[in-house]
Amino acid sequence: MKFLEAEFVQGFIRMANDGWEQGWHERNGGNLSYRVKPEEVEYVKEELAAGQWQPIGTTVPGLAGEYFLVTGSGKFFRNVIIKPEDSICMIELDENGEQYRIVWGLINGGRPTSELPSHLMNHEVKKLASGGSHRVIYHAHTTNLIALTFVLPLEDEVFTRELWEMATECPVVFPSGIGVVPWMVPGGRDIAVATSELMKQYDVAVWAHHGIFVSGEDFDVTFGLAHTVEKAAEILVKMLSMQSTKRQTITPAQFRDLAVDFKVILPERFLYEK
Ligand code: 2HA
Ligand code: ZN
């Protein structure tokens, strides 16, 4: 029971359930991973049992020897809270970052998330870019953000600016903006490479006609980021449903004022004149 009582495991389960309750995880949609701290591995060490090494499908040397808690492929977020040992697993990576093995969970068989290459390549990028502070990668099927990928141009500048305008907190919560990945086949190395390229500069990417992909330091910040982006998307969907144009909005000059007071850097490329 110690494994399931560990704070990082409890935090992971709570976040998965929060996503389910938001309606972002129909059936087996979405996936979550957490880069476990050495002291957390130590805490549960006695309950780990190593399975067979398996290829990751990509190479992540920057994560060699690390442990991750991940949702299972084909598993339902809805079930994580009631049967975590069947729905999630902890994996260990080998010393080259080429293979993984399950060390806990998925007791009825199965594999880690189908998006494991995307998760690990993004963990590798964000670990480096954040000096090691980022630990959570989350993918969800956020309804309103997906809807917007049918009507907005698939450009980072447009998604960032339109969502910033929908709620004053947005530029403070995601000042570096949002990257947009065009429609791609999910689960493979190509979408992993395209996403990790964007995540070098952003903490949020949109997968066109598919969902959101976010990175953060802990469960609260990462869930909060997805929640904030999706809330802004919902406001934009509502606004566009009432009227195709805005009567008034937050202006580039007002964003610049906000940046000063809130001590954030808002790249000028998002503050274009319309
Ligand atoms: O089914 O969401 O992107 C899991 C997914 C794949
Ligand atoms: Zn998905």
Side-chain angles (χ1 to χ4, degrees):
M1 275 313 279
K2 195 173 166 191
F3 190 95
L4 286 172
E5 284 161 12
E7 198 178 336
F8 74 100
V9 180
Q10 286 290 314
F12 184 98
I13 293 171
R14 178 173 173 226
M15 176 157 164
N17 198 59
D18 285 347
W20 156 250
E21 288 183 348
Q22 288 296 325
W24 300 340
H25 298 285
E26 72 290 341
R27 205 173 182 282
N28 60 320
N31 23 76
L32 173 62
S33 64
Y34 171 70
R35 187 165 59 84
V36 186
K37 296 176 185 167
E39 64 269 27
E40 292 167 334
V41 177
E42 193 58 34
Y43 183 74
V44 298
K45 201 178 60 190
E46 268 141 47
E47 289 180 60
L48 307 183
Q52 297 291 314
W53 289 110
Q54 310 279 345
I56 293 169
T58 189
T59 310
V60 284
L63 301 175
E66 295 234 40
Y67 289 75
F68 294 84
L69 203 54
V70 297
T71 46
S73 179
K75 300 295 180 179
F76 294 18
F77 266 56
R78 175 170 178 255
N79 292 333
V80 169
I81 199 165
I82 56 160
K83 42 180 179 178
E85 61 289 337
D86 170 67
S87 307
I88 68 175
C89 64
M90 187 148 120
I91 59 170
E92 176 190 4
L93 305 195
D94 69 7
E95 73 270 24
N96 300 316
E98 282 170 0
Q99 302 186 91
Y100 74 86
R101 62 183 178 187
I102 295 174
V103 295
W104 184 91
L106 288 176
I107 55 164
N108 297 310
R111 289 178 290 115
T113 168
S114 59
E115 302 287 3
L116 191 65
S118 278
H119 277 253
L120 293 181
M121 287 185 77
N122 280 281
H123 273 292
E124 191 179 38
V125 161
K126 297 309 284 187
K127 180 185 171 188
L128 192 68
S130 70
S133 68
H134 275 226
R135 294 193 169 272
V136 183
I137 297 279
Y138 178 46
H139 163 59
H141 295 174
T142 43
T143 317
N144 294 283
L145 192 63
I146 296 168
L148 290 175
T149 65
F150 295 93
V151 300
L152 293 185
L154 298 176
E155 295 165 13
D156 303 4
E157 289 80 4
V158 177
F159 266 78
T160 300
R161 176 64 176 279
E162 292 305 314
L163 293 173
W164 276 3
E165 284 184 38
M166 290 304 112
T168 298
E169 68 169 334
C170 285
V172 179
V173 176
F174 48 99
S176 51
I178 295 187
V180 183
V181 180
W183 188 87
M184 293 180 83
V185 176
R189 196 172 174 278
D190 291 350
I191 196 167
V193 170
T195 309
S196 58
E197 206 45 53
L198 290 172
M199 297 296 271
K200 286 177 184 166
Q201 51 174 318
Y202 304 118
D203 291 339
V204 192
V206 182
W207 284 356
H209 323 321
H210 185 157
I212 194 170
F213 198 90
V214 291
S215 170
E217 284 98 342
D218 58 28
F219 299 118
D220 283 347
V221 167
T222 314
F223 187 80
L225 178 56
H227 204 185
T228 304
V229 172
E230 172 59 6
K231 174 83 182 275
E234 182 179 354
I235 299 169
L236 185 52
V237 167
K238 283 185 173 17
M239 188 242 113
L240 290 169
S241 311
M242 290 185 284
Q243 200 167 292
S244 62
T245 56
K246 298 163 196 150
R247 181 182 287 271
Q248 56 270 324
T249 187
I250 307 170
T251 66
Q254 289 172 326
F255 280 122
R256 292 186 189 103
D257 290 344
L258 184 79
V260 173
D261 279 16
F262 280 79
K263 298 182 176 51
V264 289
I265 294 166
L266 300 180
E268 279 294 319
R269 59 188 270 248
F270 300 127
L271 301 179
Y272 51 87
E273 289 304 323
K274 292 192 200 170

